[in-house]
Amino acid sequence: MVRTPLTPEERERGEQLGRLLREARGGRSMTDVAAAAGISAETLRKIETGRAPTPAFFTVAALARTLGLSMDDLVERCALLLA
């Protein structure tokens, strides 16, 4: 299956998500946050750096829960890029 290339807006939204998650992580280690969310540190690294701009919903939900973020807030803050 060939994946359709992402639009510049989708890439920017993924980078924004990564910045929000990195900011929320604060001083916690990437390894600790990833383990608490049930994902690998490499997956978290890819999301935070924008190399995985469209992570799975359940991955984002697990990270949001671990970091004490609201999914509504994440959606709103990432959707602002489309305005």
Side-chain angles (χ1 to χ4, degrees):
M1 178 168 85
V2 175
R3 186 172 185 176
T4 305
L6 298 174
T7 66
E9 292 81 13
E10 290 169 324
R11 288 193 179 283
E12 178 59 30
R13 195 170 48 229
E15 290 171 5
Q16 174 67 7
L17 174 63
R19 284 190 293 271
L20 292 170
L21 294 175
R22 191 169 46 254
E23 179 182 299
R25 183 166 57 84
R28 295 173 66 184
S29 79
M30 190 176 286
T31 304
D32 288 345
V33 170
I39 63 171
S40 72
E42 183 59 22
T43 296
L44 180 54
R45 183 180 342 277
K46 287 178 181 178
I47 294 168
E48 284 189 358
T49 60
R51 287 183 20 232
T54 58
F57 171 81
F58 290 105
T59 299
V60 175
L63 286 167
R65 183 189 68 244
T66 299
L67 295 170
L69 297 171
S70 156
M71 288 294 287
D72 288 336
D73 187 44
L74 283 177
V75 168
E76 182 177 312
R77 292 175 70 184
C78 289
L80 291 176
L81 298 170
L82 299 177

